[in-house]
Amino acid sequence: MGAGVDLTQSLASAENAVEVLIVGAGPTGLTFGAQLKSFGVPFRIVDRSATAAHESRALAVQARTLEILQSLGLGEALVTRGKLDKARTRMHGDIGPTLRKLAR
């Protein structure tokens, strides 16, 4: 928390009351906030950093994450803003004959 901020007093006032406090404005915190907003649940997000990130720090986005983002109406817009690199698959160990054929 920043210097001079009394979180207890701030949250105790009726004006600042929230149902959910989300700690961290990373992908999980922001997605959770978007989901709460879609349900009409009041929330507040707090983060250690005083400024927002202006770039993605993710190397990839999982399929389930895209499904959730799509359900929030954000999937397509975020995919179009993303950077696409050549996809690579690396397999280690004994992958079996069927997967070996697919990996070629």
Side-chain angles (χ1 to χ4, degrees):
M1 293 294 133
V5 175
D6 183 351
L7 185 59
T8 306
Q9 182 181 12
S10 177
L11 290 178
S13 74
E15 178 180 308
N16 293 317
V18 295
E19 299 243 350
V20 178
L21 176 64
I22 301 170
V23 179
T28 302
L30 294 176
T31 302
F32 186 41
Q35 187 74 63
L36 290 173
K37 182 171 177 62
S38 74
F39 294 142
V41 177
F43 65 93
R44 174 167 295 138
I45 299 176
V46 296
D47 193 81
R48 180 180 305 156
S49 178
T51 59
H54 297 288
E55 72 285 334
S56 172
R57 295 187 182 125
L59 296 176
V61 177
Q62 299 296 320
R64 180 62 183 141
T65 302
L66 282 176
E67 290 173 6
I68 293 168
L69 292 170
Q70 188 62 30
S71 75
L72 298 169
L74 301 171
E76 290 177 25
L78 293 174
V79 168
T80 59
R81 293 178 63 182
K83 295 181 181 177
L84 298 177
D85 287 331
K86 290 183 179 179
R88 292 184 185 178
T89 302
R90 294 183 183 176
M91 298 182 186
H92 300 280
D94 184 14
I95 59 175
T98 304
L99 289 177
R100 206 173 285 119
K101 287 179 186 177
L102 292 174
R104 291 183 198 170

